[in-house]
Structure formats: structure tokens, C-alpha cells
Amino acid sequence: MQRTIHTIKLVCLASEGYQKSVVCLLQQLGKTLSLIDSKCWLEGEFKCTDAIIILVLPEKNLMVDKIVKAMLATLNSRYLVIFFPLLTDEISPILNACSDCCRWPCDSFELAFRLDRLLSKHSTSLDLNKIDMETVAWKNLNLIGQSSVFLDT
């Protein structure tokens, strides 16, 4: 079985020193990175769907509404938000919009665990174009996907 290589996008709103340390740790883990310009990302100019994105929040001058809006503009993307301990009260809207988060600094084991979890969710996501007719019939009967019994479990 061939292993899929996922390029992880990195949006760093923190200082350059923090970006270097995050990049260094990710490279040690053997991850393939693509750096995204933070200004383009904040302005909604970065159009990418179904991506794994690491978002490093700034140390101060947090623009919560602008960050959440930019996150929601990248459809079906999964975010790992890295934040600094002093920001915990301010960032709850951002944490509600992300798939996972961790404090910085974090060790390589925690970062690897969180990324692997996101990557496994990413690779097993449901492709609606590949649903067979039998599944559609079951769904139309409310036996899967939308039934109250299904939603309650």
C-alpha cells in the first residue's frame, strides 16, 4: 500500500523567530511544508479547499474576528491552531472554528500526535461523489446519516 504524502500549509501570524522554531520542529518530524503568506491569508486571498493548515497565532494584537473569517473562507480545511499560553481567554472563537489546538512551546510528540490525528481524519473523509445508489436509498429512508437514532449516537 502506497503512503500518501500530504503537504501541510503553515500560516504564521507570530514573529519570525517563532515561525523558524515551528518550521524546524515540523521538519524534524519529516513533514512537507508550504508557507502561506499571512497577509494574503488574512485578506481571504488564499483559496484552498480540503487542506491541512497549521495556524500559529500572534503573541499579541490578536484580530479574532478577522482570523475566524479567514479560517471559514478555506472550505473543508482542517486547522491545527498553535497559541501562546497568555491568549487562552481571548481565543475561544478561534478554538471553536479549528479542528485541534495546542499551546506553544510544545514537544515534538504532542505535535506529531495532533498532526497525525488531523491527517488520518483528512484521508478518511467521505467523498460524496463516490456514494453508491444503495447508500443513497438508505439515506433517503432516513435510516442512516439523518435519522434521529443515528444523530443521537
Side-chain angles (χ1 to χ4, degrees), residues 19-31 33 82 104-109 111-112 115:
Q19 178 177 320
K20 286 180 182 177
S21 60
V22 171
V23 167
C24 181
L25 184 56
L26 289 166
Q27 287 174 337
Q28 288 175 3
L29 294 173
K31 303 299 180 186
L33 287 177
I82 297 176
W104 188 259
C106 69
D107 62 34
S108 60
F109 295 114
L111 192 58
L115 281 173

Side-chain angles (χ1 to χ4, degrees), residues 20-88:
K20 286 180 182 177
S21 60
V22 171
V23 167
C24 181
L25 184 56
L26 289 166
Q27 287 174 337
Q28 288 175 3
L29 294 173
K31 303 299 180 186
T32 305
L33 287 177
S34 173
L35 296 176
I36 306 302
D37 182 73
S38 59
K39 290 179 184 173
C40 290
W41 182 81
L42 278 171
E43 296 301 322
E45 296 171 13
F46 174 73
K47 300 296 181 197
C48 183
T49 59
D50 204 31
I52 301 294
I53 302 173
I54 297 175
L55 174 62
V56 182
L57 296 180
E59 301 94 313
K60 55 185 175 182
N61 301 328
L62 197 60
M63 305 161 283
V64 174
D65 293 336
K66 199 169 188 177
I67 292 171
V68 170
K69 184 178 177 183
M71 289 174 74
L72 297 176
T74 52
L75 299 174
N76 298 325
S77 293
R78 299 186 189 275
Y79 279 88
L80 172 61
V81 173
I82 297 176
F83 64 94
F84 297 90
L86 300 175
L87 299 176
T88 52

Side-chain angles (χ1 to χ4, degrees), residues 142-153:
N142 287 327
L143 295 174
I144 62 169
Q146 296 177 8
S147 71
S148 60
V149 173
F150 180 79
L151 295 174
D152 289 340
T153 58

Side-chain angles (χ1 to χ4, degrees), residues 99-114:
S99 304
D100 205 350
C101 63
C102 64
R103 288 181 160 184
W104 188 259
C106 69
D107 62 34
S108 60
F109 295 114
E110 179 180 3
L111 192 58
F113 169 76
R114 293 182 185 283

